[in-house]
Amino acid sequence: MKKFPDIISVFPLSNFIMFPNTTVPLNIFEPRYIDMINDSMKAERLVGMIQPNYKDDKKNIKPDLYQVGCLGKIINFQETKNGNFLIELKGLTRFKILEEIKTNNKYRSFKVNFDEFHADLNNSKENIKFSDLELIFKDLKLLFEKKGFIINWKALEKQSLDETINALAMASPFTLEEKQILLEAPNLDLRKNKISEILKTYSFDLYENSTLQ
């Protein structure tokens, strides 16, 4: 964890969560975040993704943030003809916000801590135990289909267990609060169990009026 800076720039994006060991594409067009990406490219290419916690005021231009986000590294960068940036961000590890740092930048920076999330950097890979995920896959497939989401399930089954569970958590049509709960789950096993618990709240809708094939 010592290789990561204790002050990072953050990109607050509502209803969007990045997990460790996942890769996400982003279209950067807002001037302050174009500045942020420019500055990141000149340094270590690190950006913190985190959800704003608007509570009752969604018009607040400087909203409160959830305490836990995910640090990402820019692994692909392209500038478009109109000056926007297309980037790919690779999730590295979660962080916890300690305090906001005052700067002259238009984007926000925070002092953060990574100590609670050493497991995110564990490079050991687990073989998928499909029996552990079979029911989750079944219910998630139904939920994704109902919501009109398209997922390459065969590709997911070929990934490591952590990559599969994190990808499902990130792509799921859960609420932002539910996704935040998944992000903050201390370890992979608890995240898997939390997905199962959340799916139970959707179970009536999943199986209502369903027909046997």
Side-chain angles (χ1 to χ4, degrees), residues 1 38 52 89 97 183 185 204:
M1 292 295 183
N38 262 326
L89 208 58
I97 280 181
L183 181 69
F204 179 79

Side-chain angles (χ1 to χ4, degrees), residues 118-166:
H118 285 279
D120 293 348
L121 296 178
N122 187 349
N123 291 323
S124 62
K125 298 294 182 181
E126 302 177 59
N127 292 324
I128 283 187
K129 298 175 182 177
F130 191 76
S131 59
D132 291 345
L133 298 177
E134 191 170 8
L135 289 177
I136 291 178
F137 272 148
K138 178 183 175 183
D139 289 347
L140 270 176
K141 284 179 180 179
L142 286 172
L143 182 59
F144 275 68
E145 288 170 3
K146 277 186 169 288
K147 299 290 186 180
F149 286 45
I150 299 174
I151 297 291
N152 187 341
W153 298 98
K154 293 296 182 183
L156 278 180
E157 291 170 16
K158 295 177 182 178
Q159 292 182 351
S160 66
L161 188 61
D162 60 332
E163 289 171 334
T164 301
I165 291 176
N166 287 344

Side-chain angles (χ1 to χ4, degrees), residues 49-165:
M49 297 297 299
I50 198 163
Q51 284 201 119
N53 188 0
Y54 287 111
K55 297 179 180 178
D56 296 326
D57 187 6
K58 291 190 176 182
K59 294 182 180 180
N60 189 351
I61 61 173
K62 196 175 181 181
D64 292 335
L65 305 177
Y66 282 97
Q67 277 195 302
V68 177
C70 185
L71 183 69
K73 183 166 186 175
I74 300 169
I75 59 172
N76 198 4
F77 172 90
Q78 179 183 351
E79 185 172 1
T80 66
K81 292 181 180 179
N82 59 2
N84 294 348
F85 294 156
L86 301 176
I87 67 170
E88 277 188 275
L89 208 58
K90 171 73 174 181
L92 300 178
T93 180
R94 291 169 290 170
F95 61 84
K96 188 172 185 178
I97 280 181
L98 299 179
E99 62 178 317
E100 186 161 6
I101 303 300
K102 292 183 179 180
T103 72
N104 293 324
N105 299 320
K106 296 177 182 178
Y107 56 85
R108 301 169 72 180
S109 296
F110 288 82
K111 184 175 182 179
V112 298
N113 186 279
F114 302 96
D115 290 347
E116 296 178 29
F117 309 112
H118 285 279
D120 293 348
L121 296 178
N122 187 349
N123 291 323
S124 62
K125 298 294 182 181
E126 302 177 59
N127 292 324
I128 283 187
K129 298 175 182 177
F130 191 76
S131 59
D132 291 345
L133 298 177
E134 191 170 8
L135 289 177
I136 291 178
F137 272 148
K138 178 183 175 183
D139 289 347
L140 270 176
K141 284 179 180 179
L142 286 172
L143 182 59
F144 275 68
E145 288 170 3
K146 277 186 169 288
K147 299 290 186 180
F149 286 45
I150 299 174
I151 297 291
N152 187 341
W153 298 98
K154 293 296 182 183
L156 278 180
E157 291 170 16
K158 295 177 182 178
Q159 292 182 351
S160 66
L161 188 61
D162 60 332
E163 289 171 334
T164 301
I165 291 176

